[in-house]
Amino acid sequence: MAITSTVSSFGQNPISYPQTKKGETVDVYFDTKVNDPYRWLEDDRSAETATWVKAENEVTYGYLNQIPYRDAIKNRMEKLWNYEKIGAPSKEGKYTYYSKNNGLQNQSVVYRKDAAGKEEVFLDPNTFSKDGTTSLGGLDFSKDGSKVAYAISEGGSDWRKVIIMDALSKKIIEDTLIDVKFSGLSWRGNEGFYYSSYEKPKGSELSAKTDQHKLYFHKLGTSQKEDKVIFGADQKRRYVGGYVTEDDNYLVITAATSTYGNELYIKDLKKPNSAIVTIVDNFNSDNNIIDSEGTKLFIQTDLNAPNKRIVTVDLNNPKPANWKDFIAETENVLSPSTGGGYIFANYMKDAVSVVKQYDYNGKMLREIKLPGLGTAGGFGGKKKDKTLYYSFTNYITPGTIYSFEPKAGKSTVYQQPKVDFKSAEYESKQVFYTSKDGTKVPMMITHKKGVKLDGKNPTILYAYGGFNVSLTPSFSIANAVWMENGGVYAVPNLRGGGEYGKKWHDAGTKMQKQNVFDDFIAAAEYLIAQKYTSSDFLAIRGGSNGGLLVGATMTQRPELMKVALPAVGVMDMLRYHTFTAGAGWAYDYGTAQDNKEMFEYLKGYSPVHNVKKGTKYPATMVTTGDHDDRVVPAHSFKFAAELQEKQAGTNPVLIRIDVKAGHGAGKSVAATIQENVDIQAFTLYNMGVKSLPEVK
């Protein structure tokens, strides 16, 4: 592969990028010709692409290896990361199960205790592969705890294998199920379990389109070939899920064509050969059955309630016209859970948790006193559980697990991590800033106390802005290291997210996607105006849809930031829907095939199509994984190639490609630490930071 010499950076030798071959591919959309010179990089199975990946990584790691304090960041991050992490326990049959990581284990281990408190390893994902790249992707026990099915992911792929064990003896009892994707596992008694998958696509399983999801039932003692299709054979749906209610009486089926809006069905398992009953027959709302009592169903919905509500209805006449409010919609977004014979309404108030406890008559019993302002999650369990668990965290408080007695409403610390981080020396505050069109947007800003507002603080501005996803406060070791080194960490809650319900989400979709970028730009301008930072010390970061956010923002306002860190981003907005499950994202994005107006709008911000020759782009490190079958790496490959070809000035443009890694889930601790180390070292180095402050 030919090498071309281009830019130099911060007293370094000029960087020699691989010369990326350009092809002649041209697509025509509504009489408009669009060149796609790097189409060949979409072929993730070609030797040519593999050679390009290897050459790019050699350049990237050659650059990173020169950064003088890269090892110091790694040492500190490993030291901070090295503490015991224990998950909330769950009672299954006669054992209590929980996950534990002794500190730097690549994957957390599942342990169990018997009634006498004797502990043993139940499942150790670190033994699944030598290099730590095979992870546990799901675990579900039969109702009596005697059987278990667990899913594994290899190399970070969304495709799973499912292994079935006798939970008591820990012996594998059946052949492994293969080619399972975007699936839960839900047992029906001890007979078998429901799972979802697609037909294996023709072409590359990591990039070929998958769009007909089916719900299957696997009966124990039979082969996977005999698994019966329960739903999806006759109805083409992109996402189908199925789960059994806790009383084992009903199968609930959800079906969707996009990432928002689903049909809702139910099947009575008490009656052999009962028909599947339709509850919701369209995709205009999100709906989910959270519990049942006899024939009474409890449904979480945003139908006529953009911030969500819980309704009840009788199974014998379950259409929406008969729904009755159980917990009515409020001004805050609702995420409910059930456990211990109660329903917990977890609300987001300006992206911070407020939790209220209800009985099954709809009476509000109490607001649960949380340890502070932050994110509370959990409060789930079986109806008979006398103790439930929840976690609490914020940007300066490591995730702590509390046990909760629902009858008395009493919380007790169950597991508090011992992290070598002095939380009391840091502060986190929420501000509201004004976006381009006058919309008020909240942002959390976290840093060491006493930070000087002189415009010289290295700052990471991180956001997502899409798919109804809410960014709520949570602690991260990587961010703790960043702040120890004098950094500011800022997270705005952009439109497109779910922080203020459906209206907030919709305001950042399709022809209003620019609102999301404007909100992000306004956040950067606020931080600069308030002297937290300046353009010379600002980095923007985001992953997946947030990678698109970074790509669009840096191509629209390249002078605004010093460093851009797009991770696993959706960068080619004209072709995203042609890969794997990408077509399911059309609710948020629209597609270039919809109409001329939508095509032109997408082309107007698509990062791959808006890199201009002769523009000085910020120092950029694109990150992706070669096994990412959610947002295929071709997006990142093409964007990096465009930037390397067209970059003016001296800022480096690198792409860091994790090998045998996917979209992020299940990534080993070692790989996660190294990625964060490289991102922080690259960022500080390109801000001109020559040495790190001493951590006392």
Side-chain angles (χ1 to χ4, degrees):
M1 185 171 276
I3 296 292
T4 178
S5 179
T6 59
V7 303
S8 63
S9 169
F10 194 32
Q12 286 200 113
N13 298 323
I15 300 174
S16 295
Y17 298 125
Q19 182 82 52
T20 308
K21 180 189 80 175
K22 295 178 81 168
E24 304 293 323
T25 306
V26 177
D27 292 317
V28 179
Y29 301 84
F30 304 100
D31 301 325
T32 300
K33 288 183 177 176
V34 179
N35 294 321
D36 193 358
Y38 302 119
R39 177 74 60 87
W40 63 273
L41 284 168
E42 291 180 4
D43 186 354
D44 52 83
R45 298 185 301 176
S46 80
E48 205 175 11
T49 301
T51 302
W52 183 87
V53 166
K54 188 166 180 279
E56 288 286 352
N57 269 344
E58 280 172 9
V59 170
T60 297
Y61 287 104
Y63 182 96
L64 294 169
N65 287 337
Q66 295 182 66
I67 299 175
Y69 38 72
R70 183 178 175 221
D71 286 346
I73 295 174
K74 184 175 183 180
N75 292 340
R76 181 59 183 153
M77 205 172 292
E78 282 184 343
K79 184 166 185 266
L80 262 190
W81 210 290
N82 194 8
Y83 66 93
E84 188 178 64
K85 303 158 192 77
I86 298 176
S90 167
K91 187 95 163 49
E92 307 291 348
K94 62 181 191 176
Y95 290 99
T96 298
Y97 293 83
Y98 50 95
S99 67
K100 186 161 75 173
N101 190 307
N102 64 19
L104 294 173
Q105 285 175 290
N106 274 325
Q107 306 288 344
S108 292
V109 178
V110 181
Y111 286 82
R112 70 180 179 190
K113 278 182 184 170
D114 60 17
K118 186 185 166 209
E119 182 182 71
E120 66 174 340
V121 171
F122 178 67
L123 205 56
D124 184 359
N126 296 292
T127 64
F128 292 173
S129 63
K130 282 182 180 169
D131 58 4
T133 60
T134 300
S135 60
L136 185 62
L139 179 75
D140 195 71
F141 288 87
S142 62
K143 296 288 184 292
D144 66 1
S146 67
K147 306 281 188 294
V148 67
Y150 66 91
I152 62 169
S153 164
E154 295 168 321
S157 169
D158 281 332
W159 290 100
R160 304 280 195 259
K161 291 176 178 171
V162 177
I163 295 155
I164 304 150
M165 286 201 318
D166 179 293
L168 305 181
S169 66
K170 299 193 282 186
K171 285 198 168 71
I172 293 172
I173 54 176
E174 294 214 350
D175 290 341
T176 297
L177 305 192
I178 59 169
D179 299 339
V180 175
K181 188 171 184 181
F182 294 161
S183 180
L185 303 169
S186 186
W187 284 84
R188 176 183 178 181
N190 287 320
E191 286 176 54
F193 55 87
Y194 296 91
Y195 69 94
S196 309
S197 198
Y198 303 92
E199 299 287 338
K200 204 66 174 281
K202 293 181 176 71
S204 168
E205 68 176 61
L206 292 177
S207 58
K209 190 171 183 174
T210 48
D211 65 354
Q212 185 164 0
H213 216 200
K214 295 174 188 173
L215 179 67
Y216 294 87
F217 181 71
H218 176 71
K219 188 172 166 53
L220 289 192
T222 64
S223 78
Q224 188 177 5
K225 284 180 191 157
E226 297 170 63
D227 288 355
K228 193 175 162 196
V229 177
I230 306 299
F231 186 96
D234 305 320
Q235 315 90 324
K236 190 172 178 182
R237 300 290 183 263
R238 202 164 277 121
Y239 307 110
V240 175
Y243 54 96
V244 179
T245 53
E246 189 183 338
D247 56 18
D248 234 14
N249 288 339
Y250 307 109
L251 169 67
V252 179
I253 301 170
T254 59
T257 55
S258 194
T259 47
Y260 173 80
N262 66 281
E263 300 165 325
L264 187 63
Y265 302 91
I266 194 162
K267 178 178 167 64
D268 191 338
L269 297 176
K270 301 188 303 303
K271 299 175 183 167
N273 305 316
S274 64
I276 292 172
V277 175
T278 304
I279 300 177
V280 177
D281 63 1
N282 60 71
F283 307 107
N284 301 330
S285 55
D286 264 343
N287 309 281
N288 181 34
I289 295 176
I290 61 168
D291 207 356
S292 62
E293 274 196 334
T295 60
K296 187 180 187 180
L297 306 177
F298 294 80
I299 301 172
Q300 172 194 341
T301 182
D302 65 0
L303 179 66
N304 302 323
N307 291 339
K308 298 191 179 165
R309 59 182 171 142
I310 298 174
V311 297
T312 56
V313 72
D314 191 275
L315 170 69
N316 297 308
N317 206 349
K319 294 286 189 198
N322 301 310
W323 291 1
K324 291 190 176 67
D325 273 6
F326 178 76
I327 298 178
E329 181 192 24
T330 71
E331 62 184 6
N332 299 315
V333 181
L334 168 67
S335 301
S337 58
T338 62
Y342 299 93
I343 292 175
F344 296 87
N346 193 333
Y347 292 101
M348 250 186 313
K349 185 174 172 59
D350 297 329
V352 168
S353 294
V354 175
V355 183
K356 295 179 179 180
Q357 181 181 351
Y358 288 80
D359 66 19
Y360 272 72
N361 296 315
K363 183 185 173 192
M364 204 271 271
L365 302 176
R366 61 178 63 87
E367 180 176 323
I368 293 161
K369 188 168 167 40
L370 298 175
L373 294 177
T375 305
F379 298 101
K382 299 177 179 67
K383 272 193 177 151
K384 63 176 191 273
D385 287 347
K386 298 283 187 282
T387 304
L388 303 176
Y389 298 87
Y390 69 92
S391 61
F392 179 82
T393 182
N394 57 35
Y395 290 115
I396 57 175
T397 306
T400 300
I401 296 174
Y402 291 81
S403 61
F404 178 74
E405 293 170 32
K407 201 167 181 187
K410 189 180 165 202
S411 292
T412 314
V413 172
Y414 173 77
Q415 204 268 332
Q416 189 158 24
K418 296 175 179 67
V419 185
D420 183 23
F421 177 73
K422 296 168 182 162
S423 295
E425 295 178 9
Y426 295 80
E427 61 181 311
S428 192
K429 70 171 182 179
Q430 188 173 54
V431 300
F432 289 82
Y433 65 90
T434 307
S435 191
K436 186 177 180 180
D437 64 357
T439 300
K440 286 265 186 279
V441 182
M443 174 162 59
M444 297 290 274
I445 307 173
T446 311
H447 51 74
K448 253 184 192 153
K449 286 177 179 171
V451 75
K452 223 178 183 177
L453 299 183
D454 60 1
K456 292 182 178 172
N457 301 300
T459 297
I460 289 177
L461 178 63
Y462 176 88
Y464 187 78
F467 294 91
N468 204 33
V469 170
S470 302
L471 294 188
T472 60
S474 67
F475 183 79
S476 142
I477 292 294
N479 293 339
V481 172
W482 174 256
M483 293 187 294
E484 280 186 345
N485 287 326
V488 172
Y489 187 70
V491 181
N493 298 108
L494 315 179
R495 281 174 283 184
E499 291 86 353
Y500 294 106
K502 189 172 187 303
K503 289 175 186 165
W504 194 251
H505 174 207
D506 286 349
T509 60
K510 295 191 177 78
M511 305 288 284
Q512 302 186 96
K513 188 66 180 173
Q514 185 60 40
N515 285 338
V516 184
F517 314 140
D518 289 343
D519 289 357
F520 199 46
I521 289 164
E525 290 173 338
Y526 175 91
L527 292 167
I528 291 166
Q530 299 298 317
K531 297 279 178 62
Y532 281 98
T533 192
S534 60
S535 291
D536 288 336
F537 293 94
L538 177 65
I540 58 171
R541 185 178 180 188
S544 197
N545 173 74
L548 161 64
L549 171 69
V550 171
T553 303
M554 67 180 281
T555 49
Q556 291 181 14
R557 291 289 302 277
E559 82 298 340
L560 187 60
M561 73 294 300
K562 182 64 185 174
V563 177
L565 302 163
V568 295
V570 188
M571 299 302 195
D572 184 340
M573 297 309 295
L574 302 185
R575 286 181 57 73
Y576 77 85
H577 60 292
T578 65
F579 305 113
T580 61
W585 312 335
Y587 182 91
D588 263 58
Y589 297 147
T591 77
Q593 267 73 39
D594 289 351
N595 52 58
K596 190 178 184 193
E597 190 185 18
M598 194 73 247
F599 153 67
E600 287 173 348
Y601 192 85
L602 286 165
K603 186 171 178 287
Y605 74 77
S606 174
V608 162
H609 300 95
N610 284 280
V611 180
K612 308 275 192 297
K613 196 160 185 69
T615 300
K616 291 180 180 177
Y617 290 103
T620 303
M621 187 160 73
V622 180
T623 52
T624 188
D626 69 344
H627 275 59
D628 190 343
D629 48 5
R630 188 88 51 88
V631 180
V632 296
H635 284 282
S636 294
F637 294 174
K638 288 160 81 169
F639 186 55
E642 289 283 350
L643 282 169
Q644 286 180 352
E645 185 208 348
K646 293 173 178 170
Q647 171 72 310
T650 58
N651 288 328
V653 173
L654 305 176
I655 179 165
R656 183 188 184 282
I657 305 154
D658 262 335
V659 178
K660 287 181 78 175
H663 199 58
K667 190 179 278 194
S668 72
V669 164
T672 303
I673 288 174
Q674 192 59 61
E675 182 178 51
N676 279 295
V677 166
D678 290 348
I679 284 169
Q680 291 188 23
F682 177 85
T683 300
L684 292 169
Y685 193 53
N686 280 284
M687 289 173 177
V689 174
K690 294 200 165 55
S691 62
L692 303 180
E694 195 179 330
V695 177
K696 290 169 186 163

